[in-house]
Amino acid sequence: MSRNLVGAYCEADFEDLFTPYTFLGQPGLVVSDPASARRVLTSPNYVRPVKANRPLRPLVGEGLLLAEGATWKRQRKSLAPVFTPAAIGGLLPHFQDAGAGLAEALDGRSRVNLAEAFHQAALDAVLRALFSRRADAEGAVLAKLARRYMEGPAHFNLMDYVSKGADDLTFLDGERRRIGGQWLDAVDALIAARRAAPHPEVRDLLDRLLATRDEDDAPPSDREIRDQCGSMLAAGFETTSRLLFWTALLLAQDPATQNRLRAEVRAFPPERVASLDDLKAWPLMRSVLFETLRLYPSVPLIARTALEADEIGGFAVVPGCMVTISPWLIHRHRKLWDAPTAFHPERFLDQPHPWAVEAFLPFGAGPRVCIGAGFALAEAQIILANLLARVEIGLASERPVIPVASITLGPDHEPDFILTPIVQARP
């Protein structure tokens, strides 16, 4: 589990809806029944375990991602206007610029590490949307820090499992604190630059964040702005770049679907997208991304701790019990999906609101459902469309790519992709 959070599941886990366990003397329950999982994620009796926050806190501080109780409610309410459809629609030019930047960076290259290219493109999109800045010098620093963190300190360790508090047994967390400190310093520098030269009008998420007020009409503190920006950066570009990578991998292995998707994009090119409604011109694109999120959920595991005694699926839950909800398991469960391991985007084409599919939890559920889901999907569609409009995607090797989960779901290695300009592509 410390090497790969989805590495300890066995065949029975894809058949059973409830699995009780004990780890280091602590009771736990894996819940794969969708209705029960949604009840846990909605109930105030279940909270994020402190130990689950330890790997992320150095990057996001006390931002919305990790906040709890009254602090979380206040932050969520103040941030809601930042992620309305209208606000996201105003960010589409930033996504288009990032997509065009990706196409330009890959122009003329035939063999490419798309995991790295998508990482850079997603960071560029988020930096543009958040700070109206390209992923130039500061962006390169942030990208390097994020990669180093996700490949090492982000993984859970034994101290995380046995600790009872956020500050327990942190003597082995030196690398987390060091990289996290550099990350937050870089975010502080971007915010300071904006305060020194404010925009005359609202251009990006930081402008909206600086304008937020709480119930007492008080502005957010400098630290809260930094932590929210750090959360948006870390969660935004890391999860979206992973979604783009897994989508490209699936399309490279399914040329027929890739060609159909390309035809859809070429019929309505990304440069014509002027509003969120325009994205409805790409129904297959939307379905492909949802199917990718089903097979490769960006956040593969959600944990909650019970505050009071309860019963789930006939199993007794005692206070302190760890309830594990794994989108990885639920999305591939044999009792919940037809052909659960097959890439079949058409299963979402007739779903006007896939969030209503009970066994589909790519962004969580309940009050803590991801506030940036609409942002991420719009960003991913536009970036991917810019690539598919120009090149055909193939794989340079048949070596299998194994999913490895820590905070997000990444590959065990980053394969090279072969990019063929459309003018040379097969009909």
Side-chain angles (χ1 to χ4, degrees), residues 87-144:
I88 295 171
L91 300 174
L92 293 178
H94 294 302
F95 301 156
Q96 290 170 323
D97 288 342
L102 171 67
E104 181 180 348
L106 298 181
D107 186 38
R109 299 174 61 187
S110 60
R111 187 175 178 124
V112 176
N113 178 342
L114 276 184
E116 183 176 327
F118 284 141
H119 203 75
Q120 185 69 16
L123 176 62
D124 190 34
V126 175
L127 281 173
R128 289 175 184 272
L130 185 54
F131 298 111
S132 295
R133 298 284 294 270
R134 295 179 57 189
D136 45 22
E138 293 90 346
V141 171
L142 286 165
K144 183 177 180 181

Side-chain angles (χ1 to χ4, degrees), residues 187-210:
V187 173
D188 272 331
L190 290 168
I191 297 170
R194 172 62 53 80
R195 287 195 182 279
H199 290 158
E201 72 285 325
V202 174
R203 297 183 191 174
D204 52 37
L205 290 176
L206 181 58
D207 289 329
R208 294 183 179 276
L209 188 58
L210 290 169

Side-chain angles (χ1 to χ4, degrees), residues 19 55 67 167 176 200 260 267 285 396 402 404 422:
T19 304
D167 299 320
R176 284 179 180 171
R260 287 170 51 214
M285 167 79 78
I402 308 301
V404 177
I422 294 303

Side-chain angles (χ1 to χ4, degrees), residues 31-180:
V31 176
S32 295
D33 173 63
S36 299
R38 288 178 178 273
R39 181 171 76 81
V40 168
L41 294 174
T42 304
S43 170
N45 185 44
Y46 296 91
V47 298
R48 287 176 60 99
V50 173
K51 63 183 65 181
N53 295 345
R54 288 165 56 99
L56 262 179
R57 193 172 299 280
L59 288 187
V60 304
E62 303 296 329
L64 182 68
L65 203 59
L66 301 186
E68 289 287 353
T71 300
W72 174 82
K73 289 181 180 179
R74 176 181 58 78
Q75 291 185 10
R76 181 87 180 199
K77 184 176 181 179
S78 67
L79 286 176
V82 176
F83 290 99
T84 62
I88 295 171
L91 300 174
L92 293 178
H94 294 302
F95 301 156
Q96 290 170 323
D97 288 342
L102 171 67
E104 181 180 348
L106 298 181
D107 186 38
R109 299 174 61 187
S110 60
R111 187 175 178 124
V112 176
N113 178 342
L114 276 184
E116 183 176 327
F118 284 141
H119 203 75
Q120 185 69 16
L123 176 62
D124 190 34
V126 175
L127 281 173
R128 289 175 184 272
L130 185 54
F131 298 111
S132 295
R133 298 284 294 270
R134 295 179 57 189
D136 45 22
E138 293 90 346
V141 171
L142 286 165
K144 183 177 180 181
L145 290 172
R147 287 201 134 213
R148 286 168 56 195
Y149 198 93
M150 293 300 173
E151 291 170 359
H155 286 266
F156 286 86
N157 57 48
L158 184 60
M159 299 300 104
D160 295 324
Y161 285 114
V162 302
S163 64
K164 297 186 181 299
D167 299 320
D168 294 346
L169 306 171
T170 57
F171 57 90
L172 293 178
D173 286 350
E175 190 174 13
R176 284 179 180 171
R177 292 194 299 271
R178 181 173 57 82
I179 298 178

Side-chain angles (χ1 to χ4, degrees), residues 268-291:
F268 193 92
E271 55 268 21
R272 289 179 57 187
V273 174
S275 70
L276 289 182
D277 282 343
D278 288 337
L279 296 178
K280 295 177 182 178
W282 299 336
L284 181 60
M285 167 79 78
R286 180 173 173 268
S287 300
V288 164
L289 291 175
F290 285 143
E291 180 70 342

